Amino acid sequence: MLASGLIVPLWLAAFVVARQLTPRGANSNALRLDDIEPRDVKLRTIAQTPDGKVPLFAWETVAVPPLQLSSTLQSTFGAAGQFLSIFKFADIDVGASKNTAVTYNLQGPGNCKVFPGDVKWPSPASWAALKLITGGALLKPLPQASACYTNTGGSASAAKCQAMTKSWTDPFAQLDDPLEMLSALYQGMTCQPPTIFNRTNTCLQGGYPTYVVKITNVAQIQLAVNFARNTGIRLVIRNTGHDFSGKSGGAGALSIWTHHLKDVAHLPTYKDSSYTGPAIKVGVGVQGFELYAAMDKLGLIALGGECPTVGTAGGWIQGGGHSPVSSLWGMGADHALGFEVVTADGRFVTVNKKTNPDLYWALRGGGGGTFGVVTSVIMRVHKDIPVTAVSWNYGTGPNVTAATFSAAFKDYLATFPEGAKNGIYSYWNVFNFGGAMTFSMSPYFAAGKSLAETRALIEPHFAKLKALGVPIAPKYTTFSGFYAAYNASFPVEAVNNKGIVTASRMFPKANWATPQAFDTMYAALWATIESGKAVIGYNISPTWARGGKQDTAVNPAWRTGIAYLITGFPHTDLYASGAELLVERENFTRGTMESWRKLTPGSGAYLNEGDRIQPNFQWAFWGSHYPRLLEIKKRYDPFNLFYATTGVGSEFYEVRSETGYPDENGRLCVKAKPEMYYAEGPEYVEGSENA
């Protein structure tokens, strides 16, 4: 517990709120998933066709074959020729062509994507045509916080502003907004509730997209892809806006909003050349809490994110996807059996081990928003199992010094090899509130373990805490299945954190190989905590063998790691200039994070929760897989239509921010001097983690 009367620094309080690290116990006031009804998730049972194909969802059957485009334009506009140039499919079929020259020539001034105000910006008639041909799905939304300002031309409302401000960090209040980026720092913070941040007394679009297509069928995606490619404007893909680095936004962009594609289909018996067993097909708009609830009805477990509001079939699974059962069954990407995808040429294709196999490999870990627009994914699933969860906390105080706290924390870290060996997934945090330190476990998640087995694993550590004089009151709870355990044990985390920068790193088993290696690692982690930074961590071990020995693009660092750690800091003064904020940003990346990198040579970080200015991001997020991924990117997107910061191929581009800070508030342009990939370790060989 915190010492009585302790004044918590405002920035650290914001970090705590941003993570909302409160278990959802039965007696807790924190939000529970049981309080949220899954919305518009259509669950049904389907079967493969005799030739092994999986039926499309109804909205996937609404697509435009290239040869039918002219008739579609004719029926919509009464004439095809006038609008053919903005909706035509690419002459190149990227699935069939293997030697297409890649273009780095953009249509806007300064070799940039076409931007609002440019001569080549699509005319009002062109935007009207896109709205008409998509059945009215084109939106031009204002930021939510525009309700607090009078300059946008929208309807300012004090009551609406107050209500919106109150729910600003509630993820469930943001789910249906077509624009919101839940890491506001990378939007540019140009339209925040004024009591939270207000630099100019105005609301500006900033890094939010200019237009949005609310997707309800595949044809709308195809037409939006073709429109963006043919007009030269920027294109982004968004479901919920969770990405830590702001990949779901972009100034002047057209956004493909996939949030409403919420179908789930159960295949009781799925069979292909590498797997026979139960599977599901998931629409790209389905979120974790919705998927988990659907699987509970079937007595199954599907891998999804630790955060309940993250979409499953989009950036999560495409970026690798760690899960509360990853220490048993590997990464989310290991479970993908196939995808339906709209590629950069506008075509709608099936992607699996036999059809477009190189794209299949890339989509299983190569990153979202990079290779195409996924509409659905087929995943293998597991039978439900019992779970034991444990939570506990402690802190410095009159009887627990900082040195004692450090000894207790170090002893917990020493349990990681045994936890990894036994399939444990733990989620914990350490905060330093101006010298008052806290440790919280929420939870120690022992999937498939009985109460007795769980006690045998963790109680030697509790005995050490007792010997140190650290008081704890551990809470053990057993559950008959995953969903109840997940709902009761994991926190619902807040969003829209104010100005907090985070980065991550995987720590391999080598850091525990000798007492000296462990002591060296711990000294650096303790220095991070003593400097006032929080550490949020996982004991997790998603090895290649546990993932089913799959050939995927998942970062090899996941396969050898037994700890995944996140740290961060808040900018001292968000009203400082972009140049001043960038200096702070770079000091963190080149300082604290550099010390972590030196501890873990050849390891990496997690794309979906990474550092936006990660040095050699290519190796950090993909290791030796990167050269192959880049070649696949060149093949399937020779137009460089899809861009995601720190994504494959992004080294050739830069967002020229209005303030100079690394965010999405500026033009996307070709980078004069790209920073190229270099190897930081040997070529990864599957199974080489010896696990």
Side-chain angles (χ1 to χ4, degrees):
M1 299 295 291
L2 295 180
S4 177
L6 177 70
I7 299 175
V8 179
L10 291 178
W11 69 263
L12 198 48
F15 199 108
V16 176
V17 170
R19 299 298 301 191
Q20 198 67 50
L21 294 161
T22 306
R24 296 189 297 271
N27 298 319
S28 171
N29 291 325
L31 183 65
R32 291 171 55 86
L33 292 185
D34 286 345
D35 301 328
I36 306 298
E37 287 293 331
R39 296 172 297 174
D40 302 321
V41 177
K42 305 175 184 69
L43 175 62
R44 61 193 178 97
T45 299
I46 60 174
Q48 290 171 281
T49 61
D51 60 357
K53 293 181 179 178
V54 175
L56 298 175
F57 289 130
W59 44 266
E60 288 180 312
T61 66
V62 183
V64 181
L67 295 178
Q68 293 182 15
L69 177 62
S70 293
S71 62
T72 299
L73 295 174
Q74 183 74 34
S75 63
T76 303
F77 303 114
Q82 180 181 358
F83 297 104
L84 185 59
S85 64
I86 59 175
F87 293 118
K88 66 180 181 179
F89 287 81
D91 294 333
I92 301 162
D93 180 341
V94 297
S97 176
K98 295 186 178 181
N99 299 301
T100 304
V102 179
T103 178
Y104 296 100
N105 297 315
L106 304 183
Q107 297 183 36
N111 206 6
C112 300
K113 293 281 188 178
V114 176
F115 201 74
D118 290 348
V119 172
K120 290 188 176 181
W121 182 251
S123 66
S126 295
W127 288 111
L130 179 59
K131 184 170 186 175
L132 184 60
I133 202 169
T134 57
L138 184 68
L139 311 174
K140 193 177 183 183
L142 293 172
Q144 290 185 97
S146 64
C148 305
Y149 299 90
T150 59
N151 71 295
T152 64
S155 300
S157 164
K160 186 176 180 180
C161 176
Q162 184 178 12
M164 182 268 305
T165 302
K166 185 177 180 180
S167 64
W168 190 243
T169 61
D170 179 356
F172 291 100
Q174 311 292 346
L175 295 183
D176 295 323
D177 185 79
L179 286 180
E180 201 55 58
M181 296 165 61
L182 304 186
S183 290
L185 185 63
Y186 300 120
Q187 182 274 333
M189 297 189 71
T190 63
C191 188
Q192 299 285 293
T195 57
I196 294 176
F197 183 77
N198 183 12
R199 181 186 289 274
T200 63
N201 293 316
T202 58
C203 169
L204 303 174
Q205 201 77 5
Y208 292 123
T210 301
Y211 285 94
V212 174
V213 180
K214 179 181 176 181
I215 301 300
T216 56
N217 61 54
V218 166
Q220 295 164 336
I221 299 175
Q222 294 176 282
L223 294 163
V225 163
N226 288 347
F227 184 91
R229 187 190 61 253
N230 292 324
T231 60
I233 64 174
R234 185 174 176 186
L235 184 71
V236 299
I237 307 165
R238 179 186 184 277
N239 176 12
T240 62
H242 271 85
D243 186 82
F244 275 32
S245 297
K247 293 181 178 67
S248 54
L254 172 64
S255 174
I256 292 176
W257 186 29
T258 61
H259 182 61
H260 296 88
L261 304 181
K262 290 186 180 290
D263 285 64
V264 179
H266 176 215
L267 293 104
T269 303
Y270 176 91
K271 185 176 182 179
D272 65 15
S273 61
S274 60
Y275 173 73
T276 299
I280 55 172
K281 177 172 176 171
V282 183
V284 74
V286 176
Q287 295 164 269
F289 75 99
E290 297 166 327
L291 181 62
Y292 292 154
M295 292 301 97
D296 187 56
K297 296 175 183 177
L298 299 172
L300 298 171
I301 300 175
L303 269 69
E306 173 268 317
C307 175
T309 53
V310 169
T312 300
W316 178 80
I317 199 167
Q318 292 171 56
H322 74 80
S323 164
V325 287
S326 281
S327 292
L328 292 183
W329 297 321
M331 300 292 283
D334 294 328
H335 289 70
L337 299 167
F339 300 86
E340 303 293 345
V341 185
V342 175
T343 48
D345 56 9
R347 292 168 173 83
F348 183 45
V349 300
T350 295
V351 176
N352 54 40
K353 196 171 184 178
K354 289 186 176 180
T355 306
N356 300 301
D358 50 353
L359 183 56
Y360 173 59
W361 180 83
L363 288 173
R364 298 206 299 168
T370 300
F371 300 97
V373 185
V374 169
T375 64
S376 64
V377 60
I378 302 166
M379 301 172 63
R380 58 188 176 94
V381 291
H382 303 267
K383 291 183 179 180
D384 204 357
I385 57 176
V387 176
T388 300
V390 194
S391 61
W392 69 92
N393 61 76
Y394 56 86
T396 55
N399 299 314
V400 179
T401 65
T404 301
F405 181 95
S406 176
F409 177 48
K410 185 177 182 180
D411 188 74
Y412 172 62
L413 290 183
T415 71
F416 276 30
E418 192 67 16
K421 178 181 176 181
N422 284 276
I424 298 299
Y425 178 97
S426 69
Y427 182 40
W428 50 270
N429 63 80
V430 175
F431 288 110
N432 181 350
F433 296 89
M437 301 176 186
T438 65
F439 174 92
S440 177
M441 174 66 69
S442 59
Y444 184 88
F445 202 72
K449 292 281 190 291
S450 68
L451 177 61
E453 291 170 323
T454 306
R455 285 184 180 276
L457 283 170
I458 195 59
E459 289 197 348
H461 170 59
F462 292 164
K464 182 62 178 287
L465 295 185
K466 183 178 180 180
L468 288 169
V470 176
I472 61 168
K475 179 183 177 182
Y476 292 88
T477 311
T478 58
F479 302 90
S480 61
F482 171 83
Y483 182 62
Y486 174 84
N487 184 26
S489 304
F490 284 89
V492 172
E493 297 175 350
V495 297
N496 281 327
N497 58 72
K498 180 185 174 184
I500 295 171
V501 175
T502 58
S504 64
R505 192 72 177 172
M506 269 81 90
F507 285 71
K509 288 180 290 186
N511 290 108
W512 282 259
T514 66
Q516 182 180 5
F518 179 68
D519 288 346
T520 300
M521 175 190 70
Y522 184 75
L525 295 179
W526 185 245
T528 299
I529 294 166
E530 283 194 309
S531 73
K533 297 179 180 67
V535 174
I536 296 165
Y538 302 78
N539 183 194
I540 179 175
S541 181
T543 67
W544 176 69
R546 287 172 171 171
K549 299 183 178 181
Q550 300 293 305
D551 180 18
T552 71
V554 167
N555 190 342
W558 280 115
R559 307 310 195 183
T560 59
I562 62 173
Y564 166 55
L565 305 183
I566 302 170
T567 189
F569 81 100
H571 280 300
T572 304
D573 177 14
L574 280 173
Y575 291 95
S577 69
E580 292 171 313
L581 295 174
L582 181 57
V583 169
E584 281 191 323
R585 188 77 173 71
E586 290 180 334
N587 286 342
F588 169 69
T589 297
R590 311 292 177 183
T592 297
M593 295 314 298
E594 179 63 21
S595 72
W596 285 23
R597 287 190 290 273
K598 287 179 178 179
L599 288 171
T600 56
S603 188
Y606 184 29
L607 171 69
N608 289 347
E609 297 172 339
D611 187 342
R612 188 179 166 107
I613 60 171
Q614 169 76 47
N616 194 18
F617 72 85
Q618 301 97 320
W619 178 274
F621 298 140
W622 292 286
S624 60
H625 291 325
Y626 191 79
R628 182 181 174 189
L629 283 166
L630 184 58
E631 290 306 307
I632 295 170
K633 167 69 171 174
K634 290 177 179 178
R635 174 185 174 182
Y636 283 92
D637 187 13
F639 326 102
N640 277 301
L641 174 66
F642 299 116
Y643 166 87
T645 186
T646 68
V648 174
S650 65
E651 63 265 44
F652 301 106
Y653 296 88
E654 63 185 358
V655 176
R656 296 177 184 168
S657 171
E658 294 289 329
T659 65
Y661 190 81
D663 58 30
E664 295 298 331
N665 184 19
R667 292 176 179 264
L668 178 62
C669 307
V670 171
K671 192 173 186 178
K673 296 181 179 180
E675 297 175 357
M676 304 302 288
Y677 161 88
Y678 59 91
E680 296 181 19
E683 188 84 8
Y684 174 66
V685 178
E686 291 172 340
S688 59
E689 67 269 18
N690 191 30

